[in-house]
Amino acid sequence: MAEESVKKEIESGNAVVGIEFGSTRIKAVLIDSTNTPRAQGSHTWENSLIDGIWTYSEKEIIEGLQSAYKDLKCDVKEKYGVTLKKLRSLGISAMMHGYLAFDKDGKLLVPFRTWRNTITGEASEKLSSLFNYPIPERWSISHLYQAILNGEEHVKDLAFFTTLAGFIHWKLTGKKVLGIGDASGMFPIDTASKNYSKDFISKFDSLVSEKNLNWKLEDLLPEVLLAGEDAGTLTSEGAKLLDPAGELEAGSRMAPPEGDAGTGMVATNSVAKRTGNVSAGTSVFAMVVLEKDLSKSYSGLIDLVTTPDGALVAMAHANNCMGEIDYWVNLFYEAIKSVGGDVNKGKLYDTLFNLALTGKKDCGGLLPFNYLSGESITGLTEGRPLFVRAQNADFSLANFMRAHLFTALGALRTGMDILFDKENVKIDSLTGHGGFFKTAQAGLTVMSAALHTPVSALETAGEGGPWGMAVLASYLVNGGGKSLDVWLNENVFAQSKKSTVEAKQEDIDGFNKFFERYTKGLKIEKAAIENIE
């Protein structure tokens, strides 16, 4: 679409915006009627550890929202010479889970408890056992039940609790609703009814009945909506909150607020059954849209969420991926600089990642562990980064880098083996995104070897969750009655370029041999945790 046409769409109020709250950045993306990103804005922020709780203040949340939107407005003005005054539709997404609790007057009862907090172990374990369903520590219901177990004073005054995306949406529309994908990280979803599990709600109410609370769980939860369903409109108060300058008009249609898992699925065209995506950066997680329920619960190993249109998704998550690699690359960069060398950091990454492809298939006997923090999927509560080798190992730079790329996926492979081997889950396509794939050929090849399945990268995947949320907001007004997966294929990704890598059998065999070494070596990691402070 020509720049003049984009300008006219913006001026006529037909542009669509998605805003996503990440852990370190809030990003706003404006798209046109072809779902192409045309402008963006961002705001950098960071969580704080206050009284043992990882949190963002209500003030930081609102100011971050306003800052990202203002930055978007400036980008629109700079590129197209017009002021952003009206939007056709708008969507809010954010990191999932956590706990934002309010009383009947809308007052925040306790500081926002983010997904990062690991303070709900007792609640998580008891609820997982009660439901025979995985309830991770970061889920909203774990936070609520832990507060009850702790005898926290605020529980008696509770009238509503939600996620970060649900909170912002409520402020903009007055509606206490949530997209089904984000809702599935608060409380388990019954995929038949596309709503919270009534059986589990009943079990929870019975569990806490002796506390004589003056509420029932169903009354506290936000209403569940599917992608494409009406989630209200931007109110006058909401428009003023988003744009304190007062230039934004009320009335924009609002998409159901979603979680970052759901927007990632949309951004990688992974909402249909037998599709999946893997996000690999500081942490790594893979999500696969299931054809049927799993045969049993794998608490602490496999989480269950849904797509934005309510299909069941299995998620394998590992806390550690690229972090330790970054430390080593920085060390190599420091060494180069210390002898008077000069190299671009991006080129150094590309060079080292591509060099890994020339290493021995099993990494020549080298064994690193990238555990900057613990990994529940391998049963370790803490981490100690390690590098181990036998005296006769082939200690070359190529093998060293290959081993670090392999170990970055070791914990993920542990979880995915459950889906592949125990549940016989089938995947037709797996799309990768995140920093691991910046050097595309290396990232795709290693991921394909680790998961023994073809892995693709989309040229649009780099746009990420904020664009995915904008696309969901576009689906709200442009879906035309089509299912989400069909609409994405026909209206968003029809012309999208995709590069796919299918690892050679020798690469797969090499990873399998490395993974045997990795699994045995977990005893070394455990010993390091026990003996190194």
Side-chain angles (χ1 to χ4, degrees):
M1 181 180 289
E3 185 174 309
E4 188 61 31
S5 297
V6 176
K7 178 180 176 180
K8 287 180 179 178
E9 282 199 0
I10 295 172
E11 285 183 309
S12 61
N14 284 314
V16 172
V17 167
I19 303 175
E20 181 158 293
F21 287 69
S23 297
T24 59
R25 192 162 68 136
I26 303 167
K27 187 175 178 184
V29 173
L30 180 146
I31 62 174
D32 62 21
S33 56
T34 68
N35 300 300
T36 303
R38 296 298 182 181
Q40 66 178 40
S42 66
H43 171 81
T44 300
W45 70 339
E46 188 58 68
N47 57 187
S48 302
L49 185 63
I50 300 174
D51 297 328
I53 301 291
W54 289 106
T55 188
Y56 304 87
S57 71
E58 193 169 1
K59 182 173 181 284
E60 287 174 317
I61 294 168
I62 299 302
E63 288 180 350
L65 171 71
Q66 293 170 342
S67 175
Y69 181 78
K70 182 180 179 181
D71 198 36
L72 173 68
K73 278 178 61 180
C74 290
D75 196 38
V76 169
K77 187 76 171 179
E78 184 178 326
K79 287 178 176 174
Y80 306 105
V82 298
T83 299
L84 195 56
K85 293 184 177 181
K86 189 172 183 179
L87 302 171
R88 190 174 183 205
S89 58
L90 171 65
I92 302 295
S93 54
M95 46 190 149
M96 293 172 67
H97 320 298
Y99 184 69
L100 280 152
F102 302 89
D103 68 11
K104 60 182 176 56
D105 298 318
K107 178 188 174 185
L108 186 65
L109 292 168
V110 291
F112 173 30
R113 298 171 182 178
T114 77
W115 64 272
R116 190 177 179 184
N117 290 287
T118 54
I119 54 175
T120 63
E122 181 184 4
S124 170
E125 186 176 332
K126 288 184 176 180
L127 291 176
S128 296
S129 176
L130 176 68
F131 298 155
N132 191 28
Y133 190 97
I135 307 294
E137 289 186 28
R138 61 186 180 276
W139 278 31
S140 307
I141 192 62
S142 293
H143 282 279
L144 172 59
Y145 186 44
Q146 191 65 55
I148 294 171
L149 292 173
N150 293 345
E152 295 187 36
E153 184 69 18
H154 80 271
V155 171
K156 64 178 175 52
D157 298 318
L158 190 60
F160 173 59
F161 74 119
T162 189
T163 64
L164 180 54
F167 167 62
I168 294 294
H169 184 92
W170 175 35
K171 287 293 184 182
L172 297 180
T173 66
K175 299 282 188 180
K176 297 177 180 178
V177 300
L178 211 54
I180 193 168
D182 206 16
S184 70
M186 285 193 74
F187 193 84
I189 293 290
D190 173 4
T191 53
S193 67
K194 309 293 187 188
N195 210 334
Y196 303 113
S197 168
K198 287 191 176 295
D199 179 38
F200 291 170
I201 285 177
S202 177
K203 286 182 177 180
F204 183 87
D205 285 337
S206 296
L207 177 67
V208 301
S209 60
E210 63 183 29
K211 304 292 184 181
N212 295 314
L213 299 167
N214 60 354
W215 47 257
K216 296 292 186 183
L217 179 59
E218 195 167 17
D219 299 328
L220 304 182
L221 289 162
E223 178 188 352
V224 176
L225 296 175
L226 303 180
E229 291 186 338
D230 179 54
T233 57
L234 182 66
T235 63
S236 297
E237 295 83 3
K240 187 70 174 176
L241 182 73
L242 182 57
D243 182 18
E247 294 172 327
L248 180 63
E249 297 177 21
S252 303
R253 294 185 63 187
M254 296 287 295
E258 264 299 347
D260 52 0
T263 58
M265 294 176 211
V266 171
T268 54
N269 196 19
S270 306
V271 301
K273 291 178 180 178
R274 292 175 67 119
T275 65
N277 77 91
V278 55
S279 173
T282 304
S283 63
V284 58
F285 61 86
M287 296 182 288
V288 180
V289 187
L290 301 174
E291 296 179 278
K292 56 184 176 64
D293 290 350
L294 299 182
S295 65
K296 57 178 286 190
S297 171
Y298 298 95
S299 291
L301 301 173
I302 301 294
D303 296 346
L304 295 172
V305 292
T306 77
T307 63
D309 56 348
L312 189 64
V313 175
M315 177 194 293
H317 177 271
N319 295 327
N320 302 286
C321 184
M322 286 282 291
E324 181 67 355
I325 292 174
D326 290 340
Y327 276 108
W328 280 107
V329 173
N330 285 333
L331 186 72
F332 295 146
Y333 182 75
E334 188 179 333
I336 293 169
K337 297 286 281 188
S338 69
V339 295
D342 187 25
V343 64
N344 175 273
K345 186 74 75 73
K347 183 179 180 181
L348 181 58
Y349 270 95
D350 287 343
T351 301
L352 292 171
F353 274 45
N354 285 323
L355 189 63
L357 296 180
T358 69
K360 289 193 172 180
K361 300 304 181 182
D362 70 342
C363 309
L366 307 186
L367 179 61
F369 281 96
N370 65 335
Y371 285 29
L372 294 171
S373 61
E375 285 290 2
S376 60
I377 208 165
T378 53
L380 298 172
T381 57
E382 298 179 48
R384 300 290 185 275
L386 294 177
F387 176 68
V388 183
R389 65 185 177 93
Q391 296 93 326
N392 60 350
D394 189 346
F395 192 14
S396 69
L397 184 56
N399 287 341
F400 183 84
M401 288 308 302
R402 189 178 183 91
H404 273 88
L405 291 178
F406 274 19
T407 203
L409 307 180
L412 177 69
R413 168 65 180 266
T414 303
M416 292 300 287
D417 273 354
I418 293 171
L419 298 179
F420 290 140
D421 299 339
K422 295 184 178 180
E423 294 291 338
N424 198 30
V425 168
K426 303 297 183 186
I427 305 177
D428 293 331
S429 65
L430 188 66
T431 303
H433 57 113
F436 192 84
F437 301 100
K438 288 290 186 184
T439 308
Q441 189 66 25
L444 292 172
T445 299
V446 171
M447 186 67 73
S448 179
L451 303 184
H452 43 81
T453 192
V455 182
S456 303
L458 290 166
E459 62 176 15
T460 50
E463 306 293 347
W467 177 69
M469 189 64 244
V471 168
L472 284 171
S474 176
Y475 177 63
L476 171 71
V477 294
N478 297 313
K482 295 179 182 177
S483 65
L484 180 59
D485 61 322
V486 169
W487 183 80
L488 289 174
N489 280 324
E490 295 180 356
N491 296 76
V492 182
F493 293 98
Q495 306 300 322
S496 182
K497 294 178 182 177
K498 180 169 72 171
S499 55
T500 302
V501 171
E502 183 169 6
K504 297 176 181 177
Q505 189 59 47
E506 58 190 15
D507 288 314
I508 295 172
D509 292 343
F511 189 93
N512 289 342
K513 188 172 180 181
F514 171 86
F515 188 61
E516 288 179 18
R517 192 183 313 126
Y518 174 93
T519 303
K520 290 179 181 177
L522 287 171
K523 294 177 182 177
I524 306 171
E525 175 69 20
K526 185 177 180 181
I529 293 167
E530 291 172 350
N531 293 284
I532 300 175
E533 290 296 328

